[in-house]
Amino acid sequence: VHSRPLVTIARDEILHESVKQAMQTRGVVNAEIVRRTPTVGTLAIHATPLPGQPCPGVVLVFYDVSEQRRHSGELTYRATHDALTGLANRRHFCDEAERTIARSNRYEEALSLLMLDIDHFKTINEENGYNIGDKLLKECADLLFNQCRLSDIVARYGGEEFAVIYPGLDLTAVIPRAEKVRAAIALE
């Protein structure tokens, strides 16, 4: 049976830099290493220098924080995405919109915003039930998301409202995209 080390110490620059920094500053240094073997995960390193002359040492303590990072990522996702559609939620969209607008202003780039609202959605819910309404919202979200570029910011803005920010696209470029989305949703 071949076993692989969690960290290859001789090749890991982060580990070496942590030890070096702990020795130079005579203070505690914390760092993280993403390990690749045996599974992907994250190790936290806590380097504490030992007093002594002429060759002081360093105590290294490793903690597996993989589960914490995974859980943290999951919580972040839940806080920033709509549970039904998986699109960005309104709060996350507004935060991203502020950053995108600032970047657009700074670099004098085009920027467009598209707002969509499903007509008569309340009637659809009342006549067909909320399960059908939810299915319609998911289908519209998928259709909208698949029509967008990776750089676009797509969100469920409200109940049956969706929003898209198109960085780098002016009105001339966005109108045909909006019409394509409208036509596709009308066919659903």
Side-chain angles (χ1 to χ4, degrees):
V1 175
H2 297 287
S3 63
R4 296 180 177 170
L6 293 178
V7 176
T8 306
I9 294 173
R11 295 183 183 170
D12 198 321
E13 284 184 31
I14 296 171
L15 180 61
H16 288 290
E17 284 301 312
S18 298
V19 171
K20 184 176 166 183
Q21 189 178 356
M23 296 297 286
Q24 288 172 348
T25 64
R26 304 301 301 151
V28 174
V29 175
N30 292 300
E32 288 188 3
I33 296 175
V34 177
R35 62 183 177 157
R36 302 281 180 225
T37 57
T39 59
V40 174
T42 305
L43 289 176
I45 305 167
H46 184 84
T48 307
L50 293 174
Q53 292 292 336
C55 287
V58 175
V59 174
L60 296 174
V61 179
F62 296 89
Y63 301 95
D64 185 344
V65 293
S66 306
E67 187 64 23
Q68 291 169 326
R69 294 296 176 264
R70 187 196 61 73
H71 185 65
S72 176
E74 187 177 308
L75 289 176
T76 299
Y77 182 85
R78 286 183 182 184
T80 58
H81 289 76
D82 176 62
L84 179 66
T85 63
L87 297 178
N89 63 23
R90 183 178 185 151
R91 180 176 29 159
H92 184 59
F93 178 81
C94 290
D95 291 344
E96 288 298 315
E98 281 184 33
R99 283 190 279 281
T100 304
I101 291 167
R103 188 173 35 254
S104 176
N105 288 335
R106 184 178 331 122
Y107 297 111
E108 298 179 359
E109 295 176 341
L111 175 72
S112 296
L113 169 68
L114 174 66
M115 299 291 294
L116 298 127
D117 183 83
I118 301 173
D119 291 338
H120 314 294
F121 186 72
K122 184 177 179 186
T123 305
I124 293 168
N125 265 342
E126 289 173 353
E127 291 178 4
N128 301 294
Y130 289 103
N131 289 339
I132 299 298
D134 286 352
K135 184 178 178 192
L136 177 63
L137 287 171
K138 288 179 201 176
E139 288 176 5
C140 287
D142 288 345
L143 194 143
L144 181 60
F145 183 80
N146 290 328
Q147 297 280 335
C148 291
R149 306 168 301 172
L150 289 176
S151 60
D152 300 336
I153 303 162
V154 187
R156 180 174 177 199
Y157 198 75
E160 74 277 7
E161 299 168 330
F162 298 92
V164 183
I165 293 179
Y166 296 99
L169 295 183
D170 63 11
L171 188 60
T172 308
V174 170
I175 288 175
R177 290 172 182 269
E179 180 54 33
K180 186 176 177 182
V181 168
R182 189 207 58 77
I185 289 174
L187 293 176
E188 290 294 320

